[in-house]
Amino acid sequence: MFAPSELVSRENESLGLTQPPTLQVLANGTTVIAQRMPGATVNFSLWMGCGSQHEPDDQNGMAHFLEHMVFKGNDRIALGQFEQRVERVGGMTNAATSQEYTQFFVTTAPQDFPDVAPLLIDLVLAPGLAAAEFQRERQVVLEEIRRAQDVPQRRLMQRVMALAFAGLPYARPVLGTAEVVTRLTPDAMHNFHRQWYGPERLTAVVVGDLPVTKLLDVVVPCLQERQGGDPAPVCPFPQPVCPLRHGEEMVDDVQQARLVLSWRVPGLTDFPTVCALDALAMILGQGRTSRLVWELRHERGWVTGITVQNMSFVHQGLFWIGVQTAAAHLPAVLAVIQEHMAQLAEEPIPVTELAHLRRRVASRFIFANETPAERAGLYGYYQTVLGDISPGLGYPGTVASLQAGVLQQTAQTYLTPAAMGSVVMRPPA
């Protein structure tokens, strides 16, 4: 396996980069990453190391609600002013909340970046959180929760998560529940922001078609003047991977049955294992010629949809296989999946299939990081969740170093029948 520095160098070369990204840690603890990249745009993103896993149970949904409230202005930026400025110059802005981070971003033409970036910094680090806007936006969030519950696949996956991560923060919905969100208060949100939105938890990433010195000259002065608030509480998180074994059936208003099989697996802190599980997911069900897609969909025609994913959080993860099929086909589909899982544990991956996997991973990595926004997402994500961008840059090299024996051992260790959970959603009889 290559050393991290060699991996970064190799991936910089494969992505057409002459210089690696510049990384600075300011005196207040904020990490700033900057890189020049052709593309006629600049993407600026702020990543807070705060997501739904950091909420207490009685505040589930607070991180997502706060993401909404950031855009409601403050004493210096009136409601709607930021969005108007961005749209006036043809830019775009948005945000997202996950279990482990909240991301805010703006993309503009290079000449407009110096005007809008300081506004985003001010909104994120010093939102107004006005009580009147809080009450209005609560209704927007509640409607988003209701819409999510209207989608059968969302209901199914939420049940899968609740069973797989029972007792852990990952089991809770990122949006929260209507019951909890209805009880949240502006004062509680102020306290949550003070605890979790300190500059020491912030990663700022700027990638685009300007010299790095210019990119840094715009954002660093605005960031370094911010001082920390209350220290964030320590959130203990169980580290061991616990075997998962459950089976549940639910009846829902669907035309076809849905089946999800899942296994609790290591998280990003065990990055080599995550890469091996990602590779197994690709072999099984990503692409037309992957094993399960080819047999279940193209050869037998039993399924109308199939997904195989290794979902990785920092502390733990979930490897899952989901299919959509006629209820009558469920037993046969389950038998085929179990045969393929046993084959992974009993037989090494053939050399030709392994070579194909490595080429696909390398190509996907390049194609997924062609724009400033995509590159900024790569840097921001890994710096926020792992405190290091090297694993992200070295991902193709790590996969390329995987041997058939390692993949077989990974399947034997984590993807066993004894550790498998299952949830079936059936149409009404």
Side-chain angles (χ1 to χ4, degrees):
M1 184 179 293
F2 304 121
S5 60
E6 293 172 325
L7 290 173
V8 171
S9 175
R10 286 170 182 263
E11 295 316 320
N12 283 335
E13 182 179 347
S14 70
L15 291 172
L17 307 179
T18 57
Q19 295 292 330
T22 297
L23 188 149
Q24 294 184 8
V25 179
L26 307 182
N28 61 8
T30 295
T31 299
V32 184
I33 302 173
Q35 186 172 50
R36 183 166 195 173
M37 179 180 178
T41 63
V42 173
N43 179 270
F44 176 52
S45 57
L46 297 174
W47 298 71
M48 298 303 312
C50 168
S52 63
Q53 81 156 68
H54 301 98
E55 304 159 345
D57 288 339
D58 62 356
Q59 293 185 4
N60 180 212
M62 180 70 84
H64 172 253
F65 194 170
L66 176 56
E67 173 215 308
H68 280 238
M69 287 301 299
V70 159
F71 290 102
K72 298 305 172 182
N74 57 25
D75 293 341
R76 294 162 299 286
I77 304 170
L79 175 65
Q81 181 182 352
F82 174 68
E83 290 90 339
Q84 291 171 5
R85 291 277 293 274
V86 173
E87 291 176 4
R88 193 178 302 138
V89 298
M92 64 174 295
T93 184
N94 212 330
T97 304
S98 77
Q99 283 84 356
E100 291 164 323
Y101 63 84
T102 305
Q103 175 203 12
F104 305 86
F105 74 87
V106 61
T107 299
T108 68
Q111 66 270 19
D112 300 311
F113 159 69
D115 294 328
V116 299
L119 300 180
L120 183 61
I121 293 171
D122 197 23
L123 287 174
V124 171
L125 295 182
L129 306 182
E133 287 304 322
F134 183 93
Q135 300 304 336
R136 279 191 284 267
E137 197 62 23
R138 189 204 310 269
Q139 301 310 311
V140 175
V141 173
L142 289 172
E143 178 59 25
E144 188 174 349
I145 293 172
R146 284 191 287 269
R147 288 200 309 270
Q149 288 301 308
D150 286 340
V151 180
Q153 188 65 21
R154 293 283 294 269
R155 295 195 294 270
L156 173 61
M157 288 308 299
Q158 185 53 56
R159 187 58 186 158
V160 170
M161 296 290 286
L163 291 170
F165 293 113
L168 301 181
Y170 296 147
R172 303 180 312 207
V174 173
L175 299 183
T177 65
E179 179 184 8
V180 173
V181 170
T182 300
R183 295 197 301 264
L184 297 179
T185 66
D187 284 345
M189 184 172 285
H190 275 286
N191 292 335
F192 188 84
H193 184 274
R194 279 197 300 270
Q195 285 186 324
W196 292 104
Y197 272 54
E200 71 282 356
R201 300 185 66 84
L202 173 62
T203 296
V205 186
V206 55
V207 178
D209 202 3
L210 286 172
V212 168
T213 53
K214 176 64 174 176
L215 297 173
L216 293 174
D217 286 346
V218 171
V219 301
V220 168
C222 302
L223 293 166
Q224 65 187 4
E225 67 186 23
R226 305 289 174 171
Q227 300 304 311
D230 299 341
V234 176
C235 290
F237 203 105
Q239 293 293 326
V241 174
C242 304
L244 169 67
R245 182 69 182 178
H246 65 256
E248 183 170 298
E249 292 201 5
M250 50 198 296
V251 176
D252 208 308
D253 186 19
V254 292
Q255 297 298 313
Q256 287 192 309
R258 290 167 166 84
L259 166 68
V260 175
L261 306 177
S262 56
W263 293 261
R264 278 264 289 278
V265 294
L268 289 165
T269 51
D270 186 353
F271 195 70
T273 298
V274 165
C275 291
L277 290 162
D278 286 352
L280 292 173
M282 186 174 289
I283 288 168
L284 282 172
Q286 296 178 17
R288 286 174 55 87
T289 60
S290 59
R291 295 182 179 188
L292 289 176
V293 173
W294 188 257
E295 178 166 356
L296 290 174
R297 186 162 191 171
H298 297 293
E299 287 189 340
R300 300 182 182 272
W302 285 347
V303 303
T304 56
I306 182 165
T307 302
V308 183
Q309 182 179 349
N310 181 42
M311 181 187 300
S312 298
F313 303 122
V314 171
H315 301 289
Q316 296 191 15
L318 192 72
F319 188 101
W320 63 277
I321 300 171
V323 296
Q324 186 169 323
T325 183
H329 289 321
L330 274 175
V333 168
L334 177 59
V336 169
I337 294 173
Q338 290 174 325
E339 288 173 6
H340 279 278
M341 300 307 292
Q343 185 179 9
L344 286 179
E346 295 166 2
E347 303 174 14
I349 306 297
V351 173
T352 54
E353 191 174 11
L354 197 55
H356 178 57
L357 167 75
R358 291 164 176 164
R359 288 193 296 271
R360 289 181 62 204
V361 169
S363 297
R364 280 191 179 190
F365 183 82
I366 294 170
F367 296 152
N369 291 284
E370 292 184 315
T371 69
E374 291 165 341
R375 194 73 56 79
L378 175 72
Y379 300 152
Y381 173 76
Y382 279 98
Q383 184 64 34
T384 302
V385 300
L386 288 181
D388 184 6
I389 65 173
S390 296
L393 287 171
Y395 182 86
T398 303
V399 174
S401 71
L402 292 172
Q403 301 301 313
V406 171
L407 295 175
Q408 185 177 3
Q409 181 64 51
T410 301
Q412 292 171 351
T413 302
Y414 299 107
L415 306 181
T416 65
M420 184 183 76
S422 69
V423 178
V424 175
M425 177 182 279
R426 294 181 180 271

